[in-house]
Amino acid sequence: MSDTITNSSAVDENQKETQAVTSAGRPNAKPSKSGLYTIVWRWHFYAGILSAPILWMITITGAMYVFSTEISEWRDQALLKVSPQAERVSYDRLREIAASHGASEDLEGMVVRSDPAHSVFFLAHIEGEPGNRANDQHQRIYLNPYDGSLLGTRIAEHDFFAVVLELHRSLMLGTTGRILSELVTCWGLILLASGFYLWWPRGKKNAGVWLPRIKGKFYAVLRDWHAVSGFYLLPLIGIIAFTGLFFTLVLGTGFNTTVKKMGHWPPEWFLTADAPAPSPEAQPMKLDQIVPLFLEHSRSGEDAVAIRFAEKPELAHKAFYMIDDDKNSLRTVSVNQYTGEKFSILDPPDLPFLYRVRLWAVSIHMGKIFGMPTKILAMIASLGLLGLSVTGIWMWWKRRPTGRSGFPRAPLPQSLPAWGWALMIVVGILLPVAGVSILLICLLDWICFSQLRKKKTV
């Protein structure tokens, strides 16, 4: 965020201090502010350089996915929009037609809308390798509800935005990609914190602190825009990056496990509720009777009603409702497939607190908690972080000496005060993936510079 290779005077002062301490043989000298600055700057530099390629992928895909709903609605008008007519084909007949067109007759559910100008689509479950549900696929079968004609089919997992989301979460590398994504997210937070420390005015004037310069040497102007814009974007980027940790493999799974252990994970939120037949002779109700019962619970602004069919005779049908894909607005309703009785109606306020925290985090991260304004802010955060990373790399490339890497030298260990080591330990515990990487970097750093010192003494 701050001048990635900047404040050369502070660095030079620190190098002079380092030489003085070394020549005087005083390893226990009191740490200096310039020495601490150099250490923070050095970690900020390395974090920015090493995380850049993956960070660019995460920020670009994140900015793209923010408006996935709006873009998909515009792109899929031929599949979603129909001309209303006087008569409709029954939902049960549509279910039969969908099964005949699907790659599998196993229809898991359907999505309907109260708007008569919208199509209906069914979801067919396509099994992958036996015993490995990760390879399962889901086919969407779009039908015109007025004549039953097929509007088109699509594999949900092959959709453009499904691929974008997979790149954002795991880089299309499975578990390894999820760990790398979590690592870069953690280091993104460290970059923000270290950048804030480097930006701190320390008696500087307004230019380059509160307002970026637009005239002068190119490097100085670039540094100002990197530092100042980073300061103003810090709260927004920090919130988006932090809430992204709820999706991660280590921290996200750890939080979910904690929520479950504390009894704050509502199983009825996902699982289909039990609803046995009232008598052996009872017959399931028609979909034409069930669907209107679900539509009664639609709210203003509801995008669609996703209905999951009862998988077994003793289970109920279940519907999921969301406004603008906001998980914090998710409502579930269960309906007895034999009697039409509505039960287990759950809204977010009915859920345990810790699980609601998770819903808030998901919606905030995706920019969907307050509709379009927060979507725009989420996109700004993604593109802003991308811009900070690009300008940081640009500054390094601009200032690096010809034929050399331009990487900063290692300061003396004594330059870091005790509270600095304590802070690193705390960060390593709170962000375990980053903590492991810090240990590896310190080990690699010690090995590399030990070898360099040996070569100089030979």
Side-chain angles (χ1 to χ4, degrees):
M1 182 184 73
S2 180
D3 36 335
T4 309
I5 306 181
T6 186
N7 206 336
S8 57
S9 60
V11 177
D12 292 339
E13 288 174 8
N14 179 67
Q15 290 174 348
K16 292 176 182 178
E17 265 183 26
T18 299
Q19 293 171 359
V21 170
T22 304
S23 60
R26 294 184 286 110
N28 295 321
K30 185 178 180 180
S32 66
K33 290 185 178 180
S34 59
L36 178 59
Y37 184 99
T38 306
I39 290 179
V40 175
W41 168 72
R42 188 166 179 266
W43 278 93
H44 185 78
F45 171 83
Y46 279 124
I49 289 288
L50 297 177
S51 66
I54 298 176
L55 189 64
W56 294 353
M57 176 66 73
I58 292 174
T59 53
I60 292 172
T61 53
M64 293 171 62
Y65 195 78
V66 167
F67 296 102
S68 59
T69 301
E70 290 78 7
I71 296 174
S72 295
E73 290 275 341
W74 171 80
R75 179 197 64 188
D76 296 337
Q77 291 185 62
L79 299 176
L80 299 175
K81 296 291 186 178
V82 296
S83 298
Q85 300 177 21
E87 299 292 330
R88 294 177 63 104
V89 178
S90 71
Y91 286 111
D92 293 278
R93 176 57 185 154
L94 290 174
R95 185 177 184 176
E96 293 175 358
I97 295 172
S100 67
H101 287 293
S104 168
E105 294 186 359
D106 180 14
L107 300 182
E108 288 188 339
M110 62 187 296
V111 175
V112 298
R113 302 177 188 234
S114 55
D115 184 356
H118 270 83
S119 64
V120 173
F121 78 79
F122 290 80
L123 202 64
H125 178 219
I126 306 172
E127 290 190 3
E129 299 177 6
N132 184 11
R133 298 210 61 173
N135 293 327
D136 289 3
Q137 295 182 344
H138 298 84
Q139 182 187 36
R140 294 176 177 177
I141 306 163
Y142 296 86
L143 300 177
N144 186 321
Y146 298 100
D147 59 15
S149 61
L150 177 68
L151 300 175
T153 63
R154 175 171 291 153
I155 301 297
E157 287 77 9
H158 295 175
D159 184 81
F160 173 75
F161 283 107
V163 176
V164 169
L165 183 60
E166 189 65 22
L167 282 169
H168 183 74
R169 288 180 174 176
S170 67
L171 312 173
M172 303 289 283
L173 295 175
T175 301
T176 301
R178 291 193 66 189
I179 293 175
L180 288 174
S181 180
E182 179 172 2
L183 176 63
V184 170
T185 302
C186 293
W187 274 105
L189 292 171
I190 295 173
L191 276 168
L192 292 174
S194 58
F196 178 75
Y197 174 84
L198 297 174
W199 164 88
W200 193 257
R202 296 180 184 84
K204 298 176 187 175
K205 297 180 180 180
N206 287 341
V209 177
W210 305 107
L211 294 173
R213 284 169 285 191
I214 58 175
K215 294 181 179 179
K217 292 184 178 180
F218 177 75
Y219 175 82
V221 172
L222 187 64
R223 179 191 62 198
D224 282 3
W225 281 94
H226 177 80
V228 178
S229 60
F231 166 72
Y232 289 115
L233 288 172
L234 188 149
L236 181 60
I237 296 175
I239 291 172
I240 297 299
F242 175 75
T243 51
L245 294 175
F246 285 80
F247 295 91
T248 56
L249 183 65
V250 177
L251 277 172
T253 303
F255 179 82
N256 293 341
T257 301
T258 302
V259 172
K260 291 177 182 179
K261 292 289 185 181
M262 296 182 67
H264 282 220
W265 191 278
E268 66 273 19
W269 189 251
F270 304 100
L271 302 179
T272 307
D274 292 335
S279 66
E281 299 81 20
Q283 295 295 317
M285 297 174 66
K286 300 290 187 181
L287 283 182
D288 282 284
Q289 298 171 291
I290 294 293
V291 172
L293 296 176
F294 283 128
L295 288 175
E296 289 177 359
H297 284 270
S298 293
R299 298 162 293 184
S300 176
E302 207 88 64
D303 294 324
V305 180
I307 301 172
R308 180 191 294 174
F309 299 142
E311 299 176 355
K312 299 178 182 179
E314 66 273 15
L315 298 178
H317 297 303
K318 190 165 190 172
F320 300 83
Y321 309 75
M322 272 196 296
I323 299 175
D324 197 22
D325 284 339
D326 178 9
K327 296 292 190 298
N328 201 47
S329 70
L330 184 59
R331 165 186 287 178
T332 63
V333 177
S334 297
V335 169
N336 189 305
Q337 63 173 310
Y338 301 99
T339 65
E341 174 194 1
K342 289 179 281 188
F343 65 100
S344 187
I345 301 173
L346 285 178
D347 287 303
D350 303 322
L351 301 175
F353 174 74
L354 286 180
Y355 193 79
R356 288 213 67 190
V357 170
R358 184 177 184 274
L359 294 181
W360 285 325
V362 171
S363 293
I364 291 171
H365 183 72
M366 299 176 72
K368 296 182 177 180
I369 195 164
F370 293 126
M372 184 57 68
T374 46
K375 289 184 180 183
I376 294 173
L377 289 176
M379 183 189 68
I380 291 173
S382 296
L383 296 181
L385 185 55
L386 172 64
L388 293 175
S389 178
V390 170
T391 53
I393 298 295
W394 196 351
M395 284 190 291
W396 160 65
W397 191 259
K398 188 75 176 174
R399 286 292 294 267
R400 69 185 183 89
T402 304
R404 295 172 59 187
S405 67
F407 287 6
R409 297 178 180 179
L412 288 179
Q414 292 85 351
S415 299
L416 185 64
W419 64 263
W421 289 106
L423 182 61
M424 288 183 65
I425 293 173
V426 171
V427 170
I429 294 173
L430 294 178
L431 306 175
V433 176
V436 172
S437 69
I438 289 173
L439 290 176
L440 292 176
I441 291 172
C442 288
L443 178 61
L444 182 63
D445 189 64
W446 177 78
I447 292 174
C448 290
F449 280 95
S450 294
Q451 293 297 320
L452 287 174
R453 282 192 288 269
K454 285 182 179 179
K455 289 182 179 179
K456 289 181 179 180
T457 56
V458 173

